[in-house]
Amino acid sequence: MTLALRRINHRRHVGRKEEMQGEKTTSDRPNDPGHLLHTGARHSDEKMGQSVVDFPVAVVLPAGGCGERTGLGTPKQFCSLLRRPLISYTIDTFHRVSWIETIVVVVAKESLDLMLHIAQKFHHTKVIVVEGGSTRHRSIFKGLQAFCARAGAPPLPRPEVVIIHDAVRPFVEEELLLQLTLAAREQGASGATRPLVSTVIAATSEGYLDHSLERAKYRASEMPQGFLYDIIYQAYQRCSEFDFEFGTECLHLALRYSGTNARLLNGPPTLWKVTYKRDLAAAESIIKDTLSMSACIISGALGETAELASRLQENLAAHSMTVDVFPCVKGKNELLMKTRNFIQISETAASLCETREMVKIFEEASHALLYPVVIVWVHLSMSEEPCPTEKGAELTTIMDISTTFRKTNILLYGIQVIHSKVPELWERSVERLSQITAALVRDRNPALTGQLLQA
C-alpha cells in the first residue's frame, strides 16, 4: 500500500457551534454547515468536548468512489461548490473539532496528487492521504492500516476511537460526533440511524411482490459510525473476501467478526448523502443559505448614509438576515470575522480605499479561504441627476478592483441609489436596494461582480 504522509502547517479554520437539529426538525437544512462563524459559545462547547474526550480520536474518510450515479465526469467528492471541492467541506466538519487528532482520507491512486493539493490549498493540516483499494471496505481497511507499523512507512499514532464517515456527507454537527465517540468507547461501536421514509419490499424473480417489512421496526443506517480501533481493525482482519467485495455495513462487520453490538443513536436529517447531480445543487444551496444569515453594514459618518444603513438593516431583517451596523471598519478586525457579507455605504468613490483596507484584513486572516466573502458597495447619490462621467469612473474602478478581489475569493458588487426628495420614490429605491442586496448576498454569483447596478 502507498501511504502519502503530508502535514500542511497552518492554523485551522474554527467556526461557530449552534444547537443541533433534533428529531422534530422538519427541514433538511443544517443549522450551520461548516460552522462558518465564530462566537464565545463555540469556545465553551469546544472546551467541554475537549475535557470529555481525553483520549485519542481519528477519522477515516473513504473517498475513492467514481461517482457514476451523478452522471458527471468528475467524481462527486471532487466536484466544486463555491470554488471548493465537496470533500473539503466534509473534511472541515472534522477539522474544526479540537479533540479529533487525525483525518485519514483514502482515495484512488490517480487522485493522490489532487487530494494532497486540496489539503494544502485549504489548510487541512490534520489530513493524511492514503491510497485506497478496489472497493469501499478495502479502502476503509487501508485507512485503518495507516495506524499500524509497516515496512518503509512510519505508523500514525494509534487512536482509541476511530470515526468512519462518507466523504460526500458534508454536514455533521460536533454534538453528534461527541455522542458517537463516547458511545463507541463505552460499547465498542456506535452508529447514527434515521427513520425509513419508504416501506421496504421484497420482489420475486418474476418481478412480483413477495413480502414487505414493517417499517416501524427498521431504521436506515447512516454515517458517521464510531468504533474502538482494536475492534474494527480486528473485524477487518477476519472478514471474508465476499465482505470485502460486496459488503457495505461496517457495524455488521463489528458484530459478526468481533462480537460487538453497536449502540444506535438518532441522527438528524442533515446526514443525507450527495448521490446524484441534483444533490450537489442542494448542498450548494444549503451552504449559500447559511452564509447569507448575517451581514455587516459600514454606514459612514454622514447623516444620510447612517439613515440609509438603518433602513437597510430593518429591511434585510425581513429576509431573515441578522445585520450589525458600524460607522467604519477601522479597529473592527475581530468583528469583521463574524460574517462573510458586507454592505459599505458611501457618498463618494473615495470609500473604495476603505474597501481595499478591509480586503487586506481578510487576506491576512485567510477569511475568504473556505467560503467566498461578499462586499456590496453602495453609492448614495445626493443628486437626482448624477453625472454620467462620475458614474463611468466609478464603474471602471469597481471593475478593475473586483477582478483582483475575485482571485482571492472576494466578490465585489456595486449598487447606485439616488436620494430622492420625493418620499414615495425614496421608499421605492430603499426597498429595491434591499432586494438587490439580499439577492447578491444569497446568490454569490461571480458573473455579477464588477458591475454598478441601479436601485
Side-chain angles (χ1 to χ4, degrees):
M1 176 184 69
T2 300
L3 176 63
L5 299 179
R6 184 171 180 180
R7 295 185 179 278
I8 298 77
N9 296 318
H10 194 277
R11 62 181 178 274
R12 69 184 182 88
H13 172 68
V14 178
R16 181 176 61 169
K17 179 72 174 72
E18 291 184 353
E19 292 184 359
M20 185 184 69
Q21 292 181 342
E23 281 298 312
K24 295 182 180 180
T25 305
T26 57
S27 171
D28 282 348
R29 179 182 177 281
N31 288 338
D32 190 0
H35 294 261
L36 312 180
L37 305 179
H38 177 81
T39 65
R42 165 67 188 155
H43 278 306
S44 299
D45 290 341
E46 188 174 81
K47 289 179 179 178
M48 180 187 67
Q50 186 68 67
S51 63
V52 174
V53 184
D54 55 356
F55 50 90
V57 180
V59 176
V60 172
L61 288 179
C66 59
E68 291 180 355
R69 285 177 289 184
T70 61
L72 301 173
T74 302
K76 56 195 173 188
Q77 61 270 28
F78 299 119
C79 288
S80 181
L81 307 179
L82 298 179
R83 300 179 62 182
R84 184 174 155 208
L86 173 62
I87 193 169
S88 176
Y89 291 92
T90 306
I91 290 171
D92 192 52
T93 291
F94 300 96
H95 207 276
R96 57 182 160 76
V97 179
S98 62
W99 43 268
I100 290 177
E101 298 179 356
T102 307
I103 305 168
V104 177
V105 182
V106 191
V107 298
K109 183 178 181 179
E110 58 270 22
S111 301
L112 281 171
D113 290 341
L114 173 60
M115 190 61 243
L116 286 169
H117 172 72
I118 292 171
Q120 182 180 32
K121 180 178 180 180
F122 297 104
H123 301 169
H124 297 315
T125 58
K126 296 181 181 181
V127 164
I128 304 298
V129 182
V130 174
E131 181 183 329
S134 58
T135 64
R136 172 181 168 79
H137 273 318
R138 296 185 196 279
S139 291
I140 293 174
F141 191 27
K142 288 199 172 187
L144 295 171
Q145 288 175 320
F147 300 99
C148 300
R150 296 164 302 100
L156 300 173
R158 182 174 295 198
E160 184 172 348
V161 170
V162 61
I163 298 170
I164 298 175
H165 189 60
D166 290 324
V168 290
R169 295 181 190 259
F171 308 130
V172 186
E173 294 289 344
E174 181 178 352
E175 182 179 340
L176 176 61
L177 295 176
L178 180 60
Q179 292 173 357
L180 284 168
T181 298
L182 296 179
R185 194 192 194 200
E186 177 184 350
Q187 185 67 22
S190 63
T193 67
R194 290 286 302 156
L196 291 175
V197 296
S198 299
T199 300
V200 178
I201 64 173
T204 66
S205 58
E206 294 80 16
Y208 294 98
L209 175 66
D210 187 302
H211 66 277
S212 63
L213 300 180
E214 187 178 341
R215 189 170 62 183
K217 291 183 177 181
Y218 296 89
R219 304 278 292 179
S221 180
E222 306 284 356
M223 288 286 178
Q225 295 174 354
F227 303 88
L228 285 175
Y229 176 82
D230 292 340
I231 284 177
I232 191 62
Y233 186 69
Q234 173 184 268
Y236 272 100
Q237 285 180 309
R238 295 176 176 177
C239 70
S240 66
E241 284 298 312
F242 182 87
D243 293 316
F244 274 125
E245 197 67 30
F246 302 105
T248 58
E249 182 53 70
C250 301
L251 296 179
H252 176 72
L253 294 183
L255 176 61
R256 183 173 183 180
Y257 295 108
S258 296
T260 301
N261 199 348
R263 174 82 57 79
L264 302 181
L265 304 177
N266 292 327
T270 56
L271 294 179
W272 58 274
K273 180 181 179 182
V274 173
T275 303
Y276 302 102
K277 184 177 180 180
R278 63 178 179 268
D279 296 330
L280 290 168
E284 182 170 285
S285 179
I286 289 170
I287 295 167
K288 286 180 176 180
D289 277 349
T290 304
L291 289 172
S292 64
M293 290 173 63
S294 65
C296 172
I297 298 178
I298 298 98
S299 65
L302 298 179
E304 290 82 3
T305 58
E307 176 196 353
L308 180 56
S310 178
R311 295 287 304 280
L312 190 56
Q313 180 185 33
E314 180 181 347
N315 288 355
L316 290 178
H319 293 271
S320 302
M321 192 181 300
T322 301
V323 182
D324 294 318
V325 179
F326 304 108
C328 65
V329 299
K330 189 175 181 180
K332 300 290 194 305
N333 294 24
E334 184 176 346
L335 296 174
L336 293 178
M337 297 301 113
K338 287 189 174 184
T339 185
R340 286 180 172 80
N341 306 301
F342 301 87
I343 301 103
Q344 185 179 5
I345 304 175
S346 177
E347 292 186 64
T348 68
S351 67
L352 287 171
C353 294
E354 189 176 19
T355 306
R356 288 190 175 95
E357 289 299 315
M358 186 163 55
V359 169
K360 185 178 179 180
I361 293 172
F362 296 152
E363 291 176 343
E364 291 174 350
S366 298
H367 192 50
L369 176 67
L370 299 180
Y371 301 93
V373 168
V374 167
I375 301 176
V376 180
W377 184 76
V378 178
H379 178 205
L380 176 59
S381 176
M382 301 306 295
S383 172
E384 298 194 18
E385 296 182 2
C387 175
T389 304
E390 181 182 355
K391 182 177 180 180
E394 290 174 352
L395 178 57
T396 301
T397 303
I398 291 175
M399 290 177 63
D400 290 343
I401 64 177
S402 68
T403 301
T404 303
F405 290 173
R406 195 163 57 235
K407 294 176 182 178
T408 60
N409 210 22
I410 296 173
L411 309 177
L412 175 65
Y413 308 97
I415 306 176
Q416 185 180 61
V417 57
I418 298 174
H419 193 288
S420 175
K421 296 180 180 179
V422 180
E424 292 80 6
L425 295 179
W426 174 236
E427 184 68 31
R428 189 183 308 166
S429 295
V430 173
E431 179 59 32
R432 180 166 170 77
L433 171 64
S434 304
Q435 293 173 349
I436 295 174
T437 300
L440 292 173
V441 168
R442 171 62 180 79
D443 293 340
R444 287 179 140 69
N445 189 345
L448 295 178
T449 59
Q451 300 190 39
L452 187 61
L453 306 175
Q454 187 73 47

